Amino acid sequence: MRDDGLLIHRFHVGDLACAVISDGQPGPPLEPELSSFFTPGSGVPEPELAAAVAAEGLGRRTLTCGYNCLCVETPDGLAVIDTGLGKDFLGYGPYFRPLVGRLPDGLRAAGLPEPAAVVLTHLHEDHVRGAVWPGEPAYPGAVGHVHAAELAFWSSAAESALPEQRGPAREAIRVLGERLRTFTYDAEILPGLHTVEAAGHTPGHTAYLVRSRGERLLCLGDTFYDPLQLSHPSWRTPWDWNATRSVRSRRRLLALAAAENLLVHAYHLPFPGLGRIERHGDTFRWRPNVVAA
């Protein structure tokens, strides 16, 4: 953490220099209520949520929901995986506006080059808007990367399909335009950066495996928002496009991370969102690898 409030954490995966830069870490009273994420409508009865929170013993009612953008210096240039909400975001109200949009300042403060690639786990606005917030590409030299199913879904989604996210996704597609490239799963889209199937939260939701000299980092995007989805991996949120598939992807990726002791990057956990997954019977636990000061 820097004195100017920017949150930057540097580390390596093999020969690849990496950094997590926070686009924002809104604190109380702006943290979202747990009951707004895990709702009866998404399959989490209120008594079940209350019992799980009580079992934690932390006395909390909210998520600590940050926006942790992962930067990887590949041989082909800097790749930024997910870009936050961007500057001037008013979607959650005026008090939220100054608390996000920190990624560009963080990149400059870290002395990193202009991004050569913007790599997206999916096209929800809190992951893509930082790449397009001026109404034009925020990083005009960067090529965008997104799964082909993600692009197809948001380009032609029916009016009833996740309407609160449809507008921002289509705006991102329009702004990125010809600089947006699509991929499939199990592909190396940049040196050391491999795509991993994680569909369910959205049709083309993608995890990324960063790999160099025998070291690996699994970037999970929105595979889970909160540690409660590790102790209760069947819990969904109202923003999951396909509930059954999201649960299946979460269980598979958590099991992989635990079995292979992978370093994990979690976009929405407290900064810097780096840790390990431990198996606990049929469920899992989060063990932070780094705790920000």
Side-chain angles (χ1 to χ4, degrees), residues 11-13 194 196 207-212 214-220 224 230 251-266 273-279 284-290:
F11 63 106
H12 277 77
V13 175
H194 304 257
V196 179
Y208 295 95
L209 187 66
V210 182
R211 187 165 60 194
S212 173
E215 296 185 7
R216 294 176 295 168
L217 163 69
L218 184 60
C219 174
L220 287 177
F224 64 93
L230 277 66
R251 287 188 178 277
R252 173 173 49 82
L253 292 170
L254 292 176
L256 170 68
E260 302 195 13
N261 193 32
L262 298 177
L263 179 62
V264 166
H265 171 265
L274 295 173
R276 308 273 176 177
I277 304 295
E278 296 178 342
R279 183 173 280 280
F284 304 89
R285 289 176 175 171
W286 174 253
R287 178 163 56 87
N289 195 64
V290 178

Side-chain angles (χ1 to χ4, degrees), residues 80-103:
V80 179
I81 303 177
D82 289 339
T83 61
L85 282 163
K87 293 183 181 293
D88 299 324
F89 180 72
L90 286 171
Y92 300 156
Y95 296 107
F96 199 85
R97 181 175 186 172
L99 301 177
V100 294
R102 308 305 304 276
L103 176 61

Side-chain angles (χ1 to χ4, degrees), residues 33-280:
E33 294 280 335
L34 286 167
S35 59
S36 69
F37 270 66
F38 307 119
T39 68
S42 65
V44 185
E46 290 180 8
E48 185 177 335
L49 175 59
V53 171
E56 279 189 326
L58 301 177
R60 68 183 179 119
R61 295 176 54 191
T62 63
L63 288 88
T64 303
C65 193
Y67 305 91
N68 302 310
C69 304
L70 178 62
C71 305
V72 183
E73 296 188 66
T74 81
D76 288 354
L78 179 67
V80 179
I81 303 177
D82 289 339
T83 61
L85 282 163
K87 293 183 181 293
D88 299 324
F89 180 72
L90 286 171
Y92 300 156
Y95 296 107
F96 199 85
R97 181 175 186 172
L99 301 177
V100 294
R102 308 305 304 276
L103 176 61
D105 292 339
L107 289 168
R108 286 189 290 270
L112 291 172
E114 184 78 5
V118 169
V119 179
L120 301 164
T121 59
H122 61 300
L123 291 178
H124 281 175
E125 65 181 336
D126 55 329
H127 295 256
V128 70
R129 190 176 179 275
V132 298
W133 66 265
E136 60 187 21
Y139 308 107
V143 173
H145 297 268
V146 71
H147 193 278
E150 192 75 1
L151 180 62
F153 175 78
W154 295 110
S155 296
S156 60
E159 291 301 307
S160 60
L162 302 174
E164 71 280 1
Q165 293 289 347
R166 186 178 61 250
R170 289 182 174 177
E171 172 70 359
I173 292 167
R174 182 192 67 78
V175 171
L176 291 173
E178 294 181 355
R179 300 195 66 82
L180 191 59
R181 306 285 187 268
T182 60
F183 56 75
T184 57
Y185 294 128
D186 301 316
E188 185 177 31
I189 59 171
L190 292 166
L193 190 59
H194 304 257
T195 63
V196 179
E197 195 269 316
H201 181 59
T202 63
H205 187 252
T206 301
Y208 295 95
L209 187 66
V210 182
R211 187 165 60 194
S212 173
R213 290 195 175 272
E215 296 185 7
R216 294 176 295 168
L217 163 69
L218 184 60
C219 174
L220 287 177
D222 279 2
T223 299
F224 64 93
Y225 285 90
D226 187 90
L228 285 171
Q229 285 182 290
L230 277 66
S231 57
H232 299 78
S234 65
W235 283 11
R236 292 100 64 194
T237 75
W239 302 280
D240 289 335
W241 161 74
N242 184 307
T244 300
R245 196 167 178 184
S246 70
V247 171
R248 185 165 64 238
S249 289
R250 179 161 45 256
R251 287 188 178 277
R252 173 173 49 82
L253 292 170
L254 292 176
L256 170 68
E260 302 195 13
N261 193 32
L262 298 177
L263 179 62
V264 166
H265 171 265
Y267 185 72
H268 285 301
L269 288 196
F271 182 84
L274 295 173
R276 308 273 176 177
I277 304 295
E278 296 178 342
R279 183 173 280 280
H280 184 62

